Amino acid sequence: MKLLISVDMEGISGIVHSSETNPERYDYQRGRELMTADANAVIAGVLDADPTADVLVADAHGTFRNLLPEQLDRRARLVRGKPRSLNMLAGLDEETDAALFVGYHVRAGEGPGVLAHTMNGEILDVRVAGRSLGEIGLNAAMAGHLGVPVVLLSGDDAACAELTDLVPETVTVAVKEARGMAAAVTLHPEEARDRLRRAAADAVARRAEIPPLALTGPLDVEVDLASPHTIDLATLVPGVSRAGGARTVTFTSPDYATAYRLILLLAQLATIKPA
């Protein structure tokens, strides 16, 4: 069995503030340790269910260089660094049996949700076929395009609810209850890891009962962008045009994989500052 574990940081147990997720802030090293420990709990649960599983872990936060390689369970392999194909889902393919999302967060504009955003502060909303999707939905649909179910998600209660709304059968673990953008009631990290390990084993055992999230094309996509400069750059991409309000660009994609890659490109353009 081949499994991909995609690990973001904002939804990790105990984390509530950007000082714990930003490499330039004082508490980042502690955040890295918490992130690696949650990932290890999920790896252990997966291997409890199937000791022979091939486990690939994708570091999926910011620089994609956050998990501590020397502390990660040696039975798993690690994908780190960027740029790379499929971004937060690097390593996923049609041969993957299931994906597990660890430490994920709710989309921009939703809440209360700990450190809620979509990709970066410049992406205000993404709507695919009229449905608002954040990183959870966008990545789950990319996995679904390849026929891969997302069998587990951990994060705060808002993040869990976001995936449950899309795929009710998915196993979720709320490691904290959001009280605001930078506030939550959290489980003790060791308690959270115990729950993650049990849930990961259960999710892998029940993977056949959990359907992939499939969005079939053609698909109309709308992206709301915060910066006029980003909108100007976006409209240089063939097929992308301004639409609706002043903040919105739109395009039509023949299939979800094409839409996903173009959304990633728009997010990257959003990081370019005016000269």
Side-chain angles (χ1 to χ4, degrees):
M1 182 167 57
K2 180 178 178 181
L3 301 167
L4 178 75
I5 303 174
S6 174
V7 189
D8 204 352
M9 203 168 191
E10 289 85 357
I12 291 299
S13 62
I15 286 179
V16 298
H17 194 274
S18 60
S19 66
E20 299 162 311
T21 64
N22 186 333
E24 298 179 358
R25 301 295 295 277
Y26 70 95
D27 224 4
Y28 171 66
Q29 182 62 26
R30 176 173 171 273
R32 298 180 76 189
E33 293 171 355
L34 291 168
M35 180 186 187
T36 305
D38 275 14
N40 280 339
V42 174
I43 295 167
V46 164
L47 293 171
D48 288 342
D50 182 356
T52 67
D54 177 12
V55 181
L56 189 63
V57 177
D59 190 321
H61 173 73
T63 62
F64 295 169
R65 290 181 286 109
N66 309 278
L67 289 166
L68 298 167
E70 68 276 14
Q71 293 184 20
L72 196 69
D73 192 314
R74 64 187 298 168
R75 297 172 293 178
R77 294 175 296 135
L78 174 63
V79 185
R80 67 196 306 260
K82 66 186 337 181
R84 64 197 194 193
S85 178
L86 294 187
N87 205 46
M88 295 174 74
L89 299 178
L92 188 81
D93 59 27
E94 295 90 343
E95 302 303 315
T96 306
D97 293 288
L100 301 90
F101 292 174
V102 179
Y104 270 57
H105 54 82
V106 75
R107 67 184 183 270
E110 289 296 303
V114 175
L115 299 171
H117 66 279
T118 298
M119 297 187 178
N120 54 49
E122 295 293 329
I123 305 291
L124 302 177
D125 192 22
V126 179
R127 295 176 297 281
V128 180
R131 183 159 199 169
S132 181
L133 298 175
E135 292 169 36
I136 291 170
L138 293 170
N139 288 324
M142 186 63 236
H145 180 78
L146 298 175
V148 180
V150 177
V151 299
L152 175 77
L153 178 135
S154 74
D156 67 16
D157 53 330
C160 292
E162 187 169 317
L163 184 56
T164 298
D165 183 54
L166 295 167
V167 187
E169 299 87 350
T170 299
V171 177
T172 61
V173 181
V175 298
K176 51 197 169 190
E177 297 177 10
R179 291 292 182 267
M181 185 68 172
V185 178
T186 73
L187 296 175
H188 189 285
E190 290 182 2
E191 173 63 23
R193 291 166 204 155
D194 287 346
R195 296 187 188 190
L196 286 169
R197 182 169 184 167
R198 292 194 299 268
D202 178 52
V204 169
R206 297 202 300 109
R207 65 190 181 281
E209 304 169 18
I210 302 171
L213 176 61
L215 300 180
T216 56
L219 296 164
D220 292 328
V221 180
E222 297 175 298
V223 182
D224 294 342
L225 299 164
S227 169
H229 177 67
T230 304
I231 295 170
D232 291 341
L233 291 175
T235 55
L236 297 176
V237 178
V240 177
S241 60
R242 296 175 188 265
R247 295 181 182 273
T248 304
V249 297
T250 186
F251 62 90
T252 299
S253 175
D255 56 54
Y256 184 77
T258 303
Y260 181 80
R261 288 183 170 88
L262 189 44
I263 293 165
L264 294 181
L265 174 61
L266 295 179
Q268 188 63 36
L269 290 177
T271 67
I272 300 175
K273 304 303 179 184

